[in-house]
Amino acid sequence: MLLSMKTLALPIVFIFLYGSGFVFTAFGLENSSPMAFLALRFFIAFFILLIIASVLRVQWPNTLLEFVHISTAGLLTVGVFSIGVFLSISFGISASLSALIIALQPIVVTFLAVKLLGEKFNMKILIGLLLGILGVAFVVSSKVGGSSSQILGIVFSIIALLGLSFGNIYQKKYCSKMNLYSGGAIQTLSSTILVVPILLFFEDINITFNGDFLIALVYMSVGVSIGALSLLYVMIEKGEVSKVSSVFYMMPVCAALISYFLFDIDIDITMFIGIFAVLVGILLINKK
């Protein structure tokens, strides 16, 4: 039986929030240097989560080891991933191409989940993964054209991919029961601490506080750092991380669609074929 709407609700909302984040990152970087934007985003998210955790009086980690696990998962999933994406886009990689590289995450995570978490792997998952790769290739082939991207930007996108992949595995293994508010506050604070030295010693700080930048900052702080990541952690807690990762195939699709609506970038038949292939791949991977 195919997935019910109730089952699809979380992935759909997550895909929209996380996928559009690539576009809003590019939007914000037009008015800010990457690490300055990222430091503000993380600190705002931390401050909001800290207030929510305090008001609701949620549980915080009981041991130092638990705190370290949550921080480590956050440094990988939030910190390393975001730094990689922000730097790759700042070096000229398009939002769609960056999302394409991140969309390879299901392959990396499925391999790691089988090896490290003992999750099952079958022919339906394999076919779903291959369809997802094919769909992603179709989507971005209509976006990339013949232009070559800077090697450094590609490298940072790959670093982002690895950070997210290992972070998801670490989250599932050690932090799947963490409180979303207190755990989120710890992870965004840890990521802020990771970004600050890079900001101070390696970046020429530049911020233009205009309407476009503030919209991007608020969206990335609240919509992505709090909303999307909370949904990701809920999905990781409730299901196999290899299956959860399949939704990342939709990231370049979402980024391309948001780019169309915000920046009037054309969508052709190739992209629609890719979207269909991605959806079928996700259904196969998650079919019971």
Side-chain angles (χ1 to χ4, degrees):
M1 183 176 180
L2 294 181
L3 296 175
S4 65
M5 286 305 297
K6 183 178 179 181
T7 304
L8 284 171
L10 285 181
I12 288 173
V13 177
F14 169 75
I15 288 165
F16 174 78
L17 291 174
Y18 219 68
S20 58
F22 288 90
V23 179
F24 277 91
T25 295
F27 198 44
L29 289 177
E30 293 179 359
N31 298 286
S32 173
S33 53
M35 293 302 101
F37 185 8
L38 206 49
L40 285 174
R41 167 193 165 186
F42 286 157
F43 185 76
I44 290 172
F46 159 70
F47 188 69
I48 293 173
L49 287 166
L50 181 63
I51 292 175
I52 295 174
S54 300
V55 170
L56 297 181
R57 297 181 179 179
V58 302
Q59 184 177 0
W60 290 80
N62 294 318
T63 65
L64 177 61
L65 181 60
E66 187 179 358
F67 182 90
V68 170
H69 281 322
I70 292 174
S71 297
T72 301
L75 287 173
L76 292 169
T77 303
V78 182
V80 174
F81 166 71
S82 298
I83 290 171
V85 170
F86 272 56
L87 288 176
S88 69
I89 293 177
S90 72
F91 277 102
I93 302 301
S94 68
S96 296
L97 181 54
S98 180
L100 168 65
I101 295 172
I102 301 304
L104 299 176
Q105 194 247 18
I107 300 173
V108 179
V109 167
T110 298
F111 174 78
L112 293 175
V114 171
K115 293 294 184 180
L116 301 179
L117 300 180
E119 292 189 2
K120 297 179 180 179
F121 187 80
N122 55 43
M123 188 58 64
K124 285 187 299 184
I125 293 177
L126 176 60
I127 295 173
L129 288 170
L130 293 176
L131 275 174
I133 295 171
L134 180 64
V136 167
F138 265 93
V139 170
V140 182
S141 67
S142 64
K143 306 285 295 175
V144 176
S147 61
S148 59
S149 301
Q150 295 186 18
I151 299 299
L152 196 54
I154 297 293
V155 170
F156 280 121
S157 287
I158 293 173
I159 291 173
L161 166 66
L162 294 176
L164 181 65
S165 300
F166 280 98
N168 281 184
I169 296 294
Y170 200 95
Q171 180 77 25
K172 179 67 175 181
K173 188 172 181 66
Y174 297 108
C175 317
S176 61
K177 299 298 183 181
M178 81 173 194
N179 181 274
L180 290 177
Y181 302 121
S182 60
I186 292 170
Q187 292 189 340
T188 48
L189 177 60
S190 300
S191 298
T192 305
I193 294 172
L194 176 65
V195 168
V196 168
I198 304 175
L199 170 67
L200 295 178
F201 295 106
F202 298 102
E203 181 168 282
D204 183 13
I205 302 173
N206 176 37
I207 303 177
T208 301
F209 284 98
N210 55 26
D212 290 346
F213 174 72
L214 292 177
I215 289 172
L217 180 61
V218 170
Y219 188 86
M220 294 301 296
S221 300
V222 180
V224 178
S225 288
I226 297 178
L229 282 173
S230 295
L231 291 176
L232 175 62
Y233 293 154
V234 169
M235 290 189 294
I236 289 175
E237 179 184 350
K238 293 181 178 295
E240 292 184 354
V241 69
S242 57
K243 291 185 176 182
V244 171
S245 70
S246 67
V247 301
F248 280 87
Y249 277 139
M250 283 297 292
M251 294 304 127
V253 176
C254 183
L257 290 174
I258 297 295
S259 295
Y260 168 76
F261 287 111
L262 287 183
F263 304 111
D264 196 27
I265 297 176
D266 292 337
I267 297 178
D268 56 23
I269 187 63
T270 305
M271 183 176 295
F272 281 113
I273 294 172
I275 291 172
F276 179 77
V278 167
L279 289 174
V280 173
I282 291 175
L283 290 173
L284 282 174
I285 292 170
N286 288 275
K287 188 176 180 180
K288 296 181 179 179

